[in-house]
Amino acid sequence: MRIALVATGGTISSVTLGDGSRSASLQGAELVAASGLPSDIDVRVSDLRPRGSYSFSLSDMSEIVDAVATALLDEVDGVVVTHGTDTLEETAMLADIRLHDARPVVFTGAQRTSDETDADGARNLRDAVTVATSPQARGRGVLIAFGGHVLAARATTKTDTTALDAFRPAVRTDIGMVRDGVFAPTNDSAGRLTPHLPGAGPAARVEIIHAYGGMGRTLLDACRNAGVDGLIVQGTGSGNGNPDVLAALPELRAAGIVTVITSRVPSGPLAARYSRSGGGRDLVDAGAILSTDLRASQARVLLATLLDAGASVREMRAAFAPDAAASSPSTSSRITPPSIIKELS
Ligand code: ASP
């Protein structure tokens, strides 16, 4: 079996410095050497400069996805990416959007540095390699192997700052587990849910606003004045706003800004159910797009990519509602596309 390892830094590659702080410094070959991988696995390592993932921009994430795409040009059974946990869900989402290859691409990382007692990185790396070399992991989109769990990258977020199984799906279920070095799928029906959008970038500017009781228009207006391309509103509950958010939507639309509603609640599906007073139904009727599964960090990556690709509003609604037929376009106007997407479902 042959896999490629793209090493990008994060806690899995960090060591503790004299002042007690942690710094990403180990190279991929050092991670492999410490992981106790079976000797019949041939690992081809590509190193990007090791860094904390909290410092990654979208263009850094794009560089990582490019490195994965390059690794897939080789005859490998799968690719493993070691990554800091803080923004792992974002880079994994971008990879899920940009790559289209049945071979497994598996992200992993660690909560504890390699020099801590009970470090979790070596096991996570072994598990990720197990999944990357497993025929049962093929064709399921980009995956995350962490703390024994195997999860679809789509709609998975980091939910705990220290727990060893920090990643949880916001909706749906785990793809499977790795037990005793064997990948055991628990969800055989899980396949790709994300439209394939190859390309560079994304370069579109998308900001995130966290909603709260009594939220006014200050931040929405600031984003409009700043000329952003898109906005993610982390609404309350199943995707609700309030009268001020509702009142701001026509002006955002008039300024060509696409607004996507998600939730500040970490898990559970979203639905546009409530009307009057700026509930989710009102927001969708006023032209906002409901993200039925993605939370803000991943919704931002998807929206930026869709905007770069010149997707229509209908295509965006479909991309944000993979489990159902896209909700009717209601009053939305089309975005003038700089290019036409042919591969969006
Ligand atoms: N806490 C992070 C990690 O687990 C730091 C980072 O994202 O690089 O790797």
Side-chain angles (χ1 to χ4, degrees):
M1 290 289 198
R2 178 179 296 155
I3 65 134
L5 171 68
V6 177
T8 74
T11 298
I12 192 167
S13 77
S14 294
V15 292
T16 311
L17 305 179
D19 64 0
S21 67
R22 306 160 146 202
S23 177
S25 54
L26 300 180
Q27 300 283 313
E30 295 170 281
L31 299 183
V32 172
S35 67
L37 280 176
S39 54
D40 60 342
I41 309 269
D42 173 13
V43 186
R44 306 196 162 180
V45 177
S46 3
D47 281 298
L48 300 181
R49 185 166 66 84
R51 273 192 293 156
S53 74
Y54 42 80
S55 68
F56 287 169
S57 64
L58 276 178
S59 98
D60 295 320
M61 295 173 189
S62 185
E63 193 190 333
I64 294 169
V65 177
D66 287 344
V68 176
T70 303
L72 284 167
L73 295 175
D74 236 340
E75 285 191 7
V76 292
D77 296 290
V79 181
V80 170
V81 183
T82 52
H83 197 291
T85 56
D86 288 5
T87 60
L88 186 153
E89 67 211 40
E90 282 145 275
T91 308
M93 184 70 208
L94 186 61
D96 201 38
I97 296 167
R98 292 253 302 267
L99 304 173
H100 199 63
D101 193 302
R103 288 171 292 175
V105 173
V106 188
F107 279 68
T108 196
Q111 290 280 48
R112 297 177 183 157
T113 55
S114 55
D115 50 7
E116 271 183 273
T117 321
D118 298 332
D120 54 332
R123 180 195 163 180
N124 283 344
L125 181 52
R126 283 197 306 277
D127 285 357
V129 170
T130 298
V131 177
T133 53
S134 168
Q136 292 159 298
R138 292 172 68 95
R140 291 171 181 258
V142 172
L143 302 174
I144 296 171
F146 209 94
H149 297 263
V150 182
L151 311 139
R154 179 166 186 133
T156 287
T157 57
K158 182 176 178 180
T159 59
D160 197 293
T161 53
T162 55
L164 298 188
D165 58 349
F167 288 88
R168 291 276 177 221
V171 294
R172 310 187 191 95
T173 56
D174 289 14
I175 297 276
M177 302 288 295
V178 179
R179 286 200 196 91
D180 301 325
V182 176
F183 173 45
T186 50
N187 180 357
D188 279 331
S189 61
R192 285 187 59 89
L193 288 169
T194 303
H196 176 220
L197 290 167
R205 181 168 167 204
V206 178
E207 299 288 347
I208 296 173
I209 297 181
H210 186 100
Y212 48 89
M215 170 190 174
R217 290 185 49 161
T218 313
L219 296 175
L220 296 161
D221 290 342
C223 284
R224 180 167 51 79
N225 292 334
V228 303
D229 304 301
L231 209 47
I232 308 294
V233 177
Q234 282 184 285
T236 52
S238 56
N240 298 307
N242 66 21
D244 281 331
V245 176
L246 182 60
L249 284 176
E251 287 165 48
L252 291 168
R253 280 182 58 204
I257 297 167
V258 178
T259 303
V260 170
I261 309 295
T262 177
S263 178
R264 65 183 197 175
V265 182
S267 58
L270 273 72
R273 285 216 183 91
Y274 293 91
S275 62
R276 316 234 169 110
S277 328
R281 178 71 64 85
D282 295 332
L283 305 182
V284 169
D285 285 346
I289 294 172
L290 187 74
S291 168
T292 60
D293 62 342
L294 300 180
R295 285 341 194 235
S297 59
Q298 293 190 329
R300 174 174 173 262
V301 171
L302 180 57
L303 180 57
T305 313
L306 288 161
L307 288 168
D308 266 32
S312 68
V313 170
R314 185 186 56 77
E315 289 164 330
M316 292 196 205
R317 286 185 191 280
F320 278 104
D323 293 315
S327 44
S328 66
S330 67
T331 56
S332 306
S333 55
R334 280 181 72 90
I335 296 169
T336 309
S339 64
I340 303 294
I341 298 175
K342 296 206 168 56
E343 295 176 76
L344 260 174
S345 50

